Amino acid sequence: MANTSSFSSSPSTKFNFYEKPHVLAVDDNLIDHKVIERLFINSTCKVITAENGKRALEYLCLADGQHPNHNDLKVNLIITDYSMPGMTGYELLKRIKESPTMKEIPVVVVSSENIPTRINQCMQGGAQEFLLKPLQLSDATKLRCHIKKPLQGGFAGEDDHA
Amino acid sequence: MDVLNQLQRQYTDFTALLYREGFVDDNFTQVQKLQDESSPDFVVEVASLFFEDCEKLVNNMAEALEQQDVDFKQVDSHVHQLKGSSSSMGAARIKNVCIAFKTFCETQNRDGCLRCLQQVNHEHTQLKTNLQALFTLERQIVANGGSIPVMQ
């Protein structure tokens, strides 16, 4: 259910004093996507969904063979499930943090299993937070506070690139 | 007002039964808590999504199990999806069937898989009927000017 049609977002204008933050939600579970969308209702965020790590990397232009492209892409928060087929949320987290263009994007990992070693692993790996499913309304606040704000009207991630 | 009280009592009793009999679990409560004025039809939307997805996955599993050479890995991936959705939905009975189903996939037991598939179908129908009844009660309560009792 990758929503890659929203890949080509707004035309790249230099000045964007206010733009909707984009949240990328990665999960193979339809219901969880609906829950995440619900948590961002009444926020000004746009939620983009990807059904697995591979699709998420493609969206971020980090897949093998892709050229990293940060110019038009704006992602202010990534929420990923831990247990996914193919690539776990932890593996996705590592790929993101290893990328010079994407490593600044905050990543929150969610899981239905409360396993301390798993939580530690993700926090060590650079996750902002680890949340347990089922997500609740109170988690909406936690998630929103991790959103990386655009710097001085520019795009998130655009700061130190020519 | 009598009618309303009756309806609300029916609702409370019916909900208690659904939990007691294991049709739904605490995750369903969490889904209900996500419904409010900004998302007034959330539970019905999630339920519709779930049942649609369940049907699709069941069809996929049936097809895969009909093959001469069953690809148990494929069946397993469908079961895994259903397990995830049913868990998030709070559809406890379906989730539990999926747990057994997964074991049969791992041991490549076709008969076991087919039995589980039948059970999933059965539980799907039961839950759909039950939730439709629940939603009908909710509508009737609201139509009678009342508010839906909050379960704990």
Side-chain angles (χ1 to χ4, degrees), chain A residues 40-59:
Chain A
F40 284 95
I41 274 189
N42 292 342
S43 75
T44 51
C45 300
K46 179 182 166 76
V47 178
I48 299 136
T49 59
E51 63 186 351
N52 56 43
K54 180 160 171 272
R55 289 277 157 87
L57 289 177
E58 280 166 13
Y59 183 78

Side-chain angles (χ1 to χ4, degrees), chain B residues 8-89:
Chain B
Q8 285 171 324
R9 239 261 290 274
Q10 253 186 292
Y11 181 89
T12 309
D13 288 346
F14 189 54
T15 306
L17 177 116
L18 291 182
Y19 281 90
R20 204 167 53 236
E21 300 286 313
F23 287 104
V24 294
D25 63 19
D26 189 58
N27 284 1
F28 183 67
T29 316
Q30 297 308 319
V31 171
Q32 287 180 310
K33 286 187 179 173
L34 290 173
Q35 178 163 301
D36 64 11
E37 320 78 46
S38 58
S39 207
D41 300 311
F42 188 69
V43 183
V44 169
E45 285 168 10
V46 172
S48 304
L49 194 65
F50 171 69
F51 289 124
E52 228 177 78
D53 191 45
C54 187
E55 256 175 60
K56 188 190 81 181
L57 288 168
V58 162
N59 286 338
N60 290 343
M61 291 175 209
E63 206 184 291
L65 286 166
E66 270 168 29
Q67 305 305 312
Q68 272 245 311
D69 245 320
V70 177
D71 183 351
F72 283 99
K73 274 205 160 161
Q74 210 194 40
V75 181
D76 183 78
S77 77
H78 295 315
V79 176
H80 180 84
Q81 283 255 188
L82 184 58
K83 182 168 162 244
S85 306
S86 54
S87 174
S88 297
M89 173 71 202

Side-chain angles (χ1 to χ4, degrees), chain A residues 60-81:
Chain A
L60 297 168
C61 298
L62 293 181
D64 298 329
Q66 273 184 314
H67 289 297
N69 169 20
H70 55 276
N71 289 317
D72 292 324
L73 186 65
K74 185 169 78 88
V75 178
N76 304 86
L77 174 65
I78 297 171
I79 303 169
T80 180
D81 190 23

Side-chain angles (χ1 to χ4, degrees), chain A residues 4-19:
Chain A
T4 47
S5 55
S6 47
F7 193 109
S8 49
S9 44
S10 39
S12 41
T13 45
K14 281 266 157 106
F15 273 19
N16 276 290
F17 285 104
Y18 185 70
E19 259 232 7

Side-chain angles (χ1 to χ4, degrees), chain A residues 107-126:
Chain A
V107 180
V108 172
V109 181
V110 303
S111 174
S112 53
E113 294 167 293
N114 190 350
I115 301 173
T117 45
R118 175 183 290 186
I119 299 174
N120 275 335
Q121 184 196 44
C122 290
M123 299 309 288
Q124 298 294 334

Side-chain angles (χ1 to χ4, degrees), chain A residues 100-152:
Chain A
T101 50
M102 300 292 162
K103 65 182 181 192
E104 295 302 317
I105 304 176
V107 180
V108 172
V109 181
V110 303
S111 174
S112 53
E113 294 167 293
N114 190 350
I115 301 173
T117 45
R118 175 183 290 186
I119 299 174
N120 275 335
Q121 184 196 44
C122 290
M123 299 309 288
Q124 298 294 334
Q128 296 296 123
E129 191 163 6
F130 190 103
L131 292 176
L132 287 176
K133 290 201 267 191
L135 293 177
Q136 305 178 11
L137 277 177
S138 52
D139 292 319
T141 329
K142 292 184 199 174
L143 289 170
R144 291 184 205 192
C145 82
H146 289 302
I147 291 174
K148 186 168 153 77
K149 297 276 188 295
L151 299 175
Q152 301 183 332

